[in-house]
Amino acid sequence: MKEDILLSDLRELFVNVFGIDPLIKKITVGGSPRLYYRLTHDQFSMVGVISEDVRENEIFFRLDETLEDNGIKVPHIIAISKDKKTYLIQDLGDTTLFSLLESQGPQRIKWGKMALKSLIEIQTLPEKEWITRVGYGPFSPRLIRWDLNYFKYDYLKPSGIIFNEDKLEDDFDKLVKDFTGCPTLGFMYRDFQSRNIMWNEDKLWFIDFQGARKGPIVYDAVSFIWQAKAPFTLEERAYLEDYYLQELCKVIDEDLNSLRQQFKRMLIFRTLQVLGAYGFRGLIERKSHFLESIPYALGNLNYLRKNGYLHDYPEIERIAEVLEKENQTVEEKFEDGLTLSVFSFSYKKGYPEDLSGNGGGFMFDCRAIHNPGRYEEYRTKTGRDQDVIEFLERTNESGEFVNNAINIVKGSIERYLKRGFTSLHVGFGCTGGQHRSVYCAEKFAEKISKMYPKIKVKVFHREQGIFTKINNC
């Protein structure tokens, strides 16, 4: 009801400014509480935003004006309602940098360098230009501790991982000290990642900077280069880190080796922070996008452990080793090649979220297959249990369904391989996401992995919280 009222206010704002009644279509975005709409009339288009957080809106208005005045590509604000809960901004289209990184593998270094070059311009703006316009105080030990506790309380404890809390707090104390020892301060974007960068008019544009504050700027480069789902290879990450630090040294008076140490510390902190956020949104709020993202963040943590980053933090290192054993982390994102993600899901809970950002893939409806869930002996079991498998294979109904899905998808697999694409999603849905969809996802993944042994295949059974990997992963 409240959204309907604010949507009416948004329409009224558009009519008051332009004198015409627009068509309004909701824009799907990630985890933001803000609501976005595209308002159009003929070929004329802009984006409307609804947010009841007036303080955050005011921060956005101030910083947007400041960045725009300093030549940074940010969306131009067209109009703001009197209560500041709705506003109109320039329409930058739907192409994010994340989608470019996914679909244009050979260009990843080019896009990464462009983004990092712009980041340095933002970070090194004169402090007098923005310090009174940010909405938050400097990044402090208290904030660092909050984020580390996010990891402990919202990821470790809900995961049921056994750990020594005293020793973990000792590691946190050292991390706080090491983090606050990073002297290179400036405009800290706070959420600089490829989903918050748009591609429009052959330029990169920047959004979602409301959380900016004064802080250690290397943090932003770590957030971008090591974004959990970003498809950079290890070699590309190393190249981009070196590029960023070398370019930063050209405009600030800082020793390169010192910056490298700062980058390493930030990477440890950021990895724990991201796992905390994914734990809260995924394990506690049960939002599928974040549940599905957890293995990628665990892949980053495992990389840190294997490469000695965690030696100074023994309990975190031990926890990382336990997590690596108990969770099949996704390390294929460090490699080139195609990854096929196969999902089972319940239609009652909606489609799996598109983690790639490219909107591609296939969804197959298994509800026409005879349902084992109608029978008492199978109700507590899944499509991975042998007696359920035998039930589904008594006729060739489910086998034909899977084979037909393969015949549809394999053309895309072969084209993706030729063009160097890195990600393809295939989903199988049924009523509860427990029997038919689980069986079909398993059989589909098994057969595809044999047909295309060079691609990486992973399977997510969303409603069971099960993640498995098949061949080359």
Side-chain angles (χ1 to χ4, degrees), residues 224-246:
F224 177 77
I225 297 170
W226 283 87
Q227 182 183 348
K229 193 64 172 56
F232 294 125
T233 66
L234 281 177
E235 291 76 16
E236 289 167 344
R237 293 184 194 277
Y239 178 91
L240 290 173
E241 175 186 342
D242 191 66
Y243 170 81
Y244 169 78
L245 297 178
Q246 295 277 4

Side-chain angles (χ1 to χ4, degrees), residues 193-423:
Q193 44 109 346
S194 58
R195 293 188 193 275
N196 289 337
I197 304 173
M198 309 299 295
W199 179 252
N200 183 261
E201 298 176 349
D202 295 326
K203 294 180 177 65
L204 295 177
W205 299 69
F206 301 92
I207 60 174
D208 276 4
F209 38 76
Q210 289 93 323
R213 64 194 73 208
K214 184 175 182 178
I217 58 178
V218 175
Y219 173 96
D220 292 325
V222 170
S223 299
F224 177 77
I225 297 170
W226 283 87
Q227 182 183 348
K229 193 64 172 56
F232 294 125
T233 66
L234 281 177
E235 291 76 16
E236 289 167 344
R237 293 184 194 277
Y239 178 91
L240 290 173
E241 175 186 342
D242 191 66
Y243 170 81
Y244 169 78
L245 297 178
Q246 295 277 4
E247 291 297 310
L248 186 60
C249 280
K250 293 177 182 179
V251 294
I252 66 170
D253 183 20
E254 186 61 81
D255 177 68
L256 180 60
N257 288 330
S258 172
L259 289 175
R260 291 195 192 283
Q261 286 301 312
Q262 292 180 47
F263 194 97
K264 179 178 178 179
R265 292 168 183 167
M266 297 296 169
L267 179 52
I268 298 168
F269 172 76
R270 177 64 176 168
T271 301
L272 300 180
Q273 179 192 56
V274 166
L275 275 169
Y278 288 173
F280 177 72
R281 297 294 187 186
L283 298 175
I284 296 175
E285 293 188 339
R286 306 302 298 176
K287 292 185 177 179
S288 60
H289 167 77
F290 296 96
L291 277 171
E292 294 156 4
S293 298
I294 285 173
Y296 296 90
L298 287 174
N300 286 352
L301 183 64
N302 193 40
Y303 170 83
L304 297 182
R305 183 187 68 81
K306 287 183 175 180
N307 287 273
Y309 283 63
L310 303 178
H311 284 344
D312 291 337
Y313 314 98
E315 183 62 11
I316 295 174
E317 185 174 43
R318 190 196 65 79
I319 289 169
E321 184 174 6
V322 172
L323 289 171
E324 195 275 332
K325 290 178 180 178
E326 296 190 5
N327 297 273
Q328 293 179 299
T329 58
V330 180
E331 295 180 0
E332 70 269 10
K333 65 184 173 58
F334 295 137
E335 306 167 7
D336 285 318
L338 175 63
T339 296
L340 176 66
S341 300
V342 184
F343 294 83
S344 71
F345 65 96
S346 164
Y347 275 102
K348 291 180 179 179
K349 298 182 181 179
Y351 290 105
E353 292 197 47
D354 172 29
L355 295 182
S356 72
N358 61 28
F362 301 85
M363 293 292 160
F364 295 101
D365 189 341
C366 306
R367 288 175 290 186
I369 298 173
H370 191 191
N371 184 10
R374 294 169 55 188
Y375 302 94
E376 185 65 36
E377 62 264 38
Y378 303 126
R379 285 181 183 168
T380 61
K381 298 185 177 182
T382 78
R384 303 175 82 208
D385 290 308
Q386 187 58 37
D387 47 354
V388 175
I389 293 171
E390 290 172 359
F391 175 96
L392 289 166
E393 291 182 349
R394 283 174 193 161
T395 68
N396 199 32
E397 181 183 25
S398 56
E400 286 183 357
F401 187 91
V402 171
N403 288 337
N404 288 335
I406 289 171
N407 288 333
I408 291 172
V409 173
K410 67 181 183 181
S412 291
I413 291 175
E414 290 164 8
R415 179 57 60 89
Y416 277 35
L417 287 169
K418 288 179 181 178
R419 297 193 62 185
F421 292 171
T422 60
S423 178

